[in-house]
Amino acid sequence: MDMAGSGSGSGDGTVGKALEVLDQVASFGRPVRFSEVLADSAYPKPTLYRLLQTLVSQNMLSYNLDRQTYAPGARLVRLAHAAWAQSSLVQVASPHLLRLSVATSETVHLAQLDHAQVLYLDKRNAAHPVEMFSQAGKVGPVYCTGVGKAMLAFTDDAQADDIIAQQSFHRFQPGTLTTPAALRQELQAIRARGYAFDREEHEPGIICIAMPILTPSGRVLGAVSVTSTTARTDLKGLETLAPKVRDAADAIAQDAAKWSFPDHGTHTLKLAGE
């Protein structure tokens, strides 16, 4: 690849353009044809084709000749897994997530904010797993996921305003919050009780309870959640797990303080009862 870059466009040159295309292909969540990428691309057809070919040659994308589709390549998958494994928060949280999953017999998630989205860092499946959207490395919406709302509720006002302004407020389910006003009202309730719920807001039948992971000054490091289904339990049943979820979040925060998560004291919101 041309590390120096050439032509007009992004200041990052060819590397930046290729990464934009890589991110675009990955965002489909499935193998995608050239015409689909082109329809949503800022680059002309010859440029896009050249960038895709470069990514395929570097094994960052794979190309299925029979189906004529592009998908994330083996090299990208290896890099992604290495990044997750080496993430300090993932390492810190890992034993606590496992204990929480065993103690609750439910699926447990670890997440962080990635700009205005939720990035799932780790997932521990229940004894009897249920198919759901969330997987390590995937991004999801902030406004209709338990982990997203838990983090947003304890983020400082300026950052929260910026994140809310970037939400699409697509109605995934009948209970999805679809306006900034409705979301802000929900965030107030979350701050009051200290944890968030997903009330089938993103996926049908999927519910969760989520707790923010906070430094002593209230800076948001991430969130942990316990996720189940309406076939197994209800929100009251999940709420009985709140002490276990809080213990896990607190333990992760305490261990994180010993690693590379300095508490700069820039965020001062606290959990209810602290």
Side-chain angles (χ1 to χ4, degrees):
M1 296 174 67
D2 177 10
M3 299 303 292
S6 62
S8 60
S10 170
D12 294 328
T14 302
V15 172
K17 293 175 183 177
L19 290 175
E20 287 179 13
V21 173
L22 183 63
D23 188 56
Q24 182 187 0
V25 172
S27 71
F28 279 87
R30 57 173 173 79
V32 60
R33 297 175 69 89
F34 179 83
S35 58
E36 295 177 279
V37 183
L38 181 62
D40 194 37
S41 176
Y43 301 117
K45 184 175 181 179
T47 301
L48 179 62
Y49 181 77
R50 176 172 55 82
L51 291 169
L52 286 168
Q53 290 302 105
T54 298
L55 290 167
V56 170
S57 70
Q58 294 295 320
N59 292 322
M60 299 297 280
L61 289 178
S62 64
Y63 181 70
N64 186 306
L65 187 60
D66 293 332
R67 297 182 180 179
Q68 297 185 345
T69 55
Y70 296 91
R75 185 178 182 184
L76 178 62
V77 173
R78 287 197 301 270
L79 290 172
H81 280 291
W84 299 328
Q86 294 173 37
S87 167
S88 294
L89 190 59
V90 172
Q91 290 179 307
V92 167
S94 181
H96 304 296
L97 299 179
L98 179 59
R99 279 194 288 271
L100 182 60
S101 182
V102 171
T104 61
S105 298
E106 296 289 1
T107 298
V108 172
H109 294 102
L110 176 71
Q112 283 184 321
L113 287 173
D114 180 19
H115 300 289
Q117 302 178 102
V118 166
L119 173 62
Y120 292 97
L121 297 176
D122 203 354
K123 177 180 180 180
R124 302 303 169 96
N125 282 316
H128 302 287
V130 174
E131 185 69 25
M132 63 184 75
F133 168 84
S134 55
Q135 298 290 339
K138 274 194 171 183
V139 294
V142 169
Y143 64 95
C144 60
T145 55
V147 286
K149 291 186 295 180
M151 291 185 285
L152 187 58
F154 290 88
T155 300
D156 71 77
D157 290 343
Q159 185 180 1
D161 288 344
D162 182 61
I163 291 172
I164 292 172
Q166 296 181 61
Q167 300 308 300
S168 63
F169 290 104
H170 172 75
R171 189 184 292 278
F172 289 97
Q173 299 298 325
T176 305
L177 301 175
T178 56
T179 66
L183 178 58
R184 290 182 191 279
Q185 184 175 1
E186 172 78 352
L187 297 178
Q188 289 180 356
I190 293 168
R191 283 193 291 270
R193 66 174 172 259
Y195 48 87
F197 291 113
D198 177 348
R199 305 176 180 88
E200 294 186 84
E201 296 164 53
H202 190 212
E203 298 178 86
I206 303 297
I207 55 177
C208 90
I209 181 172
M211 198 83 63
I213 302 168
L214 305 176
T215 68
S217 74
R219 184 168 67 90
V220 176
L221 296 179
V224 60
S225 71
V226 171
T227 302
S228 189
T229 70
T230 53
R232 283 183 188 163
T233 187
D234 55 20
L235 292 176
K236 288 184 178 180
L238 283 181
E239 195 164 23
T240 65
L241 302 177
K244 289 184 172 66
V245 184
R246 173 170 286 185
D247 287 347
D250 288 346
I252 294 169
Q254 290 171 11
D255 285 354
K258 305 169 188 175
W259 284 60
S260 56
F261 297 93
D263 185 358
H264 300 297
T266 55
H267 305 280
T268 57
L269 290 172
K270 296 287 187 177
L271 283 169
E274 289 189 347

